[in-house]
Structures are given as C-alpha cells and as structure tokens.
Amino acid sequence: MKWFVAAINLDGTTMSPFSGHSLVESIRTPYNQVCTKLHHESEICALVMESSTIDMPEHMCSERHQQTIIGDIRLDNRDVLLTRLTELHTRKTEYINDLDLALELILLHGINIVYDFVGEFAFVIWDKRERKAIAVRDHTGMRTLFWTQKQHTLWISSDLSLLKDVFSLEQINTDYLMDFYLYNGHMDKVNTPYDNVYRLPSASWLEVTVGSVYTNKYWNLYDQCEELRYRDVDEYESHFRELMVNAVKRRMTPSVKPAVMMSGGLDSTLLYGIARTEIPTQNTIPVCGVFDRWHECDEREYIYAVLDHYNSRDDAVFEVCDNYGTFHQFPNEYLWTYEPAVTAATASFTDSLIRCASTAGAKQIFTGYGSDHLLTGSLPTLADMLHSGKISLAVKEASQLASRYRLSTPKLLAYYGIGPLIGRGWSKELRKNKHSQFIEELKQIPSYNQQEYYQQFNGTMAHLFMDRVLAAKYGVTMQHPFLDRELVEFLFRVPGVVRFQGDMTKPLLRKSMGKYLPQQIIERKNKTGHLPLTHEGLKQVWNEVIQVASKGRIQILNILPHQEWLQALYKFRHGMVVREDMWVLLTLELWLYKLEEQIGVGLMH
C-alpha cells in the first residue's frame, strides 16, 4: 500500500517542508508500520509512504532533467514501452524502475504517451523550467488522485485524508452529494464532498500553472466500440484465457506473500487456481469467510472442492463471519471516511477477511471483484439480436433465461428486447434520473450490449473503499485482476452473443477455464447470497440507525419530503417493497451524521 502528498509553489517561491507524522496518522495505518521519505526541493515538498517492502519509498519520487516526479506507478507492458526509448536511454533499461521509465517516456514523447501505458498509476510531474505541474491517473481508475489550490500553491495527493489540513470539512459541496445520488455512489467525476477540492477522474491528466488549470480525458472505453470478429468461439475463449492468466501474473510480486479472498464462486476460485497452477512458488493463501449460523450463506462445500483439487486444505485461513452483519456495531464501529461509500454498510465482513490475510503474512490480496460486472453478460443483447433480424435466437435465449429465473418469456422480450428499440423498457430505465453527461456518453455506443457493459464498468469504482480505506488499516495492497485494462477492453469488444447465453452465466469463463477449476465449480449454477446476514445486521442495530436516520439530513438535496423519507425507512426495516435508491440515500444520511460528529456542528437547523 502506497500514499503520497505533494505541495508545489507554482510561482517558483520557496516551499516550506511539512511534518509527516500527522499525515501518516490520517491514513489510519500504525505509524511504526509505514516507511516514509520526505522529498524537499526549492519549490516542492512531498511525502511518500509505503507500508510494505514491495517498493521502498525512494521508488516513489525521482528528479532528473529539471523534472520531479512523485507517485505510485506499476507498468505492466514494460517490454513494449522500453522500445519507445532512444538508444541513449537503452543502456541500462533493465535497472530503470517504473517511475523513471514513465518520466523518460513523457519527456521524449509528450504527455499523450500515457495512453499507451498498461498498468495502475497516479503521479504528478513538476517542470521547474516551465513552472508547470502535470498530474495523471490510470485508465480504469485503480489509483486515486485529489488536488486543491491555495493561492499559488498546488496541493495534490493520492488520498483526500492527506489534504485534511488545507480544506474545511464544513464547506460541503452539495453538487457532489447530488452526483453521488445520481451515480448510485460510483464517483469518478471532478467533484468531491468539499468546496474547492477536486478529484482527477480516471484516464485523465491535469495541467496546472500559475494562471491556468486544464484537464484532458486521454482515454474513453467507448472509443473502442468495434466488435471483435473471430472465426469461432474457441478463439474468443483462448484470447480470454491468455488475458486472464496475464492479469494475475503481472500483479504477483516476487518475494511478497499473496492471498486470495476466496469464496466458493467462480471468480475468486479461478484466481486461486491460476495462482496455484501458473505461479506455484508464491504459496498463495486462500482466505475464506464461512458461516456456522447462516447455512444458506456458507460455501464450504465448494471451497473444500477447490482446496482438495490442489491438496491445500492446510493452507487455508477460515474466518467465521456470523456476526459481521450490515452496519455492524453502528454507530461506534461504523467507519467514517472523507467520502461516503455505499459498501461501508458491509465493511465489517470485508474488513475481517483483510485482517485475516494480513495476520497470515499476506501483503497483497487478490479478489474476484469486477467479474460480475463485466462477465455476466447483458440481457439487452436480446435487443441487438432483434435489431439484426435474429428473431428466433432472441426468443430461444429469452426462453432459457425465463426458465432459469422463473420469469415470463414475453415480459423479458418486451423489456430487454423490444423496449430498447422503441426507447422504452430497459433503455428508458437506464437513462432515468441519470446525469446528463452519462447520457451523452451512452450515445457514443452503438450496441445495447455495450451500453449495458459501459454502465457496469462505471459501477466498478466501488472497489476504492476497500482498496484505499479498509486495506490501509492493515497496510496491504488489493489486487483486482478482472479490472485489468486489456481484459476490460477485450470484453467490451466481444460480441454480446459470446458473452451472454440464456442457459449459462459467464459462458466465456466456464468454457475456457476448466484447466484451473474442478468440475463442481465449473458446473455450479446457484449463487450464494448474504441476505440473512444483511437482515440480521439491520435487526441488531435498527434502533440506533433509525434514531440517526430519521433526522433526514438528506433534505438538503430536496430529493424527497421528510415524511416520505420516514415512511421509506419504516418499509425498509420491515422488508417491504422500498425505493430502489434506498441504499444510496441511507449511505448519505449516515455519512452526514458521522460528518457532524467530526465537525461538531449540526447540518440541519
């Protein structure tokens, strides 16, 4: 896990050094577990931090050619990028780290070279001669970057908490809160919860001088809408298998113990299978949440099938999670963060598994996050089938889906097949209450399958709470191979009929990954949920939640009247049909309550 914060005097005046101790405390990681390095020059002061031995902090800052680069960078296509250097630079390329490689490439080819970077990165470059700062964030938003400007000083950091001394918690940006609501909590826009503090969106670079601020989006997923046309399905499966294995391999760091947060589902067990088969020397630890009380949530049957397949039961770490319900020990143990997060409601479950992995010695933890978003397949593929005249195929797929989910075939076809073609059904719902910018982005995408995929891809930003908040407590790095840039782009271009089949979920994964998983997992059809745990958690803390939530702090957004909010809370408590936006509204309400605790002032007067 890495963090950094930098302050740059854009006008060239001398920058005073700042203290690192309070900044380390703000990331909630024990001070004695963090290596720090203070970088101070005339106009710039930066603090870089590293919580493990993956890369010491000196690999997070570098100075050469009157340029200073500060950041967190992992480049996965080094071999390709090294060919872009000149002969002058290639003498010692095997020793050049990713930070210096990125700087050299930008100096040679300009900032647009970052389009060709494959990996995860967030960094800032200070050009002393031109007195210009350029900050960059990776394509899929795996790393975060925030900034603010005080007179001629630019403050930029990997985490909002590291800017806490240069903005006020009381200056709430209600535009952000409304965006949070409209985007269902998946934030990747410029706004943050605080006035005059900004986020650099994913796949963007920022240029700041004394007199100007300019942001550019250098990559959009929807710029690559042309479908892949392979000869047969086997080629898609082979390509997927190659990308999936590479996505796991490139994230494995030699000499660092990895763990997989492993349930009994397809996704996490696949990551464990790839790790054990392709990188056996890493001794990957499976960390599994199990349930003694809630048998319908327990997946030990499938977990044991995988462990027995690899003869590795003795390697597994099990955590009984019966008591890690929704809003666990609210309000005392409900974690406040500088941004609200919908997943904070279930943080205790995820936190317990990260803690177990850390205790077992793991410094990086792999998850199957993103697979459900990008591999499940798109029901609106039915509309693409009808649009292209494949009526019998659409009816067949809809019939199989209806049988699997016990739904009506005509209603499925009407909502996902015919509806989108006439601006109704799924297509209308997708656009309802959404931000205008999102609607404009959807217009760039020709197929309904890809529109739904794009919506799902935008929803993957929820992983950042796990990565930057929960993992920070234990100093570990989270890895999500299913969100690998090359894999994301490939799946976006795969025809909907390959990624989606009515009689099978995730057909591309099931048909291509038999080498790594026992047949019991490949053929598994049911998916375990955690509803009993959710309801039990609500039951245990509901009196505390309702006491807090009934105040209706979300009234500042004018989304619904106070009485209607109270009625929604009552229905939610009793399991009745409730608003679709209930979780995001409750997230905002509880976050605002915890914010009041931080600032000591009530938001409602």
Side-chain angles (χ1 to χ4, degrees), residues 96-278:
I96 191 171
N97 62 46
D98 288 349
L99 193 81
D100 286 330
L101 177 57
L103 179 59
E104 293 288 358
L105 289 167
I106 291 170
L107 291 177
L108 277 171
H109 302 285
I111 191 61
N112 287 325
I113 188 67
V114 298
Y115 178 92
D116 297 326
F117 290 3
V118 176
E120 300 174 6
F121 47 87
F123 60 89
V124 59
I125 297 173
W126 168 238
D127 186 324
K128 299 176 182 62
R129 289 170 297 191
E130 297 189 21
R131 292 183 183 169
K132 175 175 66 178
I134 296 180
V136 187
R137 190 172 170 211
D138 63 60
H139 300 69
T140 56
M142 302 305 293
R143 301 285 187 265
T144 50
L145 209 53
F146 301 93
W147 66 277
T148 186
Q149 194 169 349
K150 298 293 184 181
Q151 296 180 334
H152 295 320
T153 302
L154 172 69
W155 288 83
I156 190 159
S157 80
S158 59
D159 298 79
L160 265 177
S161 62
L162 294 173
L163 298 176
K164 64 184 180 64
D165 294 333
V166 290
F167 69 85
S168 171
L169 292 177
E170 298 180 34
Q171 294 180 343
I172 296 298
N173 183 351
T174 54
D175 287 342
Y176 166 91
L177 299 179
M178 181 56 74
D179 283 346
F180 187 92
Y181 170 72
L182 294 174
Y183 283 102
N184 201 32
H186 304 136
M187 295 304 294
D188 190 36
K189 305 304 173 189
V190 172
N191 283 338
T192 72
Y194 314 102
D195 288 337
N196 303 315
V197 183
Y198 309 100
R199 178 195 333 273
L200 182 61
S202 60
S204 299
W205 55 262
L206 169 78
E207 180 179 296
V208 185
T209 63
V210 169
S212 69
V213 175
Y214 174 72
T215 303
N216 179 68
K217 186 83 169 174
Y218 65 80
W219 176 87
N220 289 295
L221 181 61
Y222 55 75
D223 288 336
Q224 306 177 53
C225 290
E226 185 179 356
E227 285 189 345
L228 295 171
R229 297 294 179 183
Y230 292 166
R231 288 174 297 180
D232 52 45
V233 175
D234 289 344
E235 289 193 13
Y236 293 104
E237 294 172 3
S238 177
H239 195 174
F240 171 73
R241 183 167 53 250
E242 176 187 352
L243 290 173
M244 193 71 246
V245 170
N246 285 340
V248 175
K249 281 184 171 181
R250 64 183 26 159
R251 285 163 175 77
M252 286 282 185
T253 304
S255 74
V256 173
K257 202 169 190 64
V260 173
M261 200 181 291
M262 194 176 88
S263 67
L266 273 169
D267 315 317
S268 57
T269 54
L270 171 62
L271 300 183
Y272 181 68
I274 292 173
R276 285 301 303 261
T277 304
E278 303 292 343

Side-chain angles (χ1 to χ4, degrees), residues 386-403:
L386 292 176
H387 185 259
S388 61
K390 298 176 182 177
I391 299 175
S392 60
L393 179 60
V395 173
K396 175 186 173 183
E397 296 289 346
S399 177
Q400 290 175 337
L401 277 166
S403 176

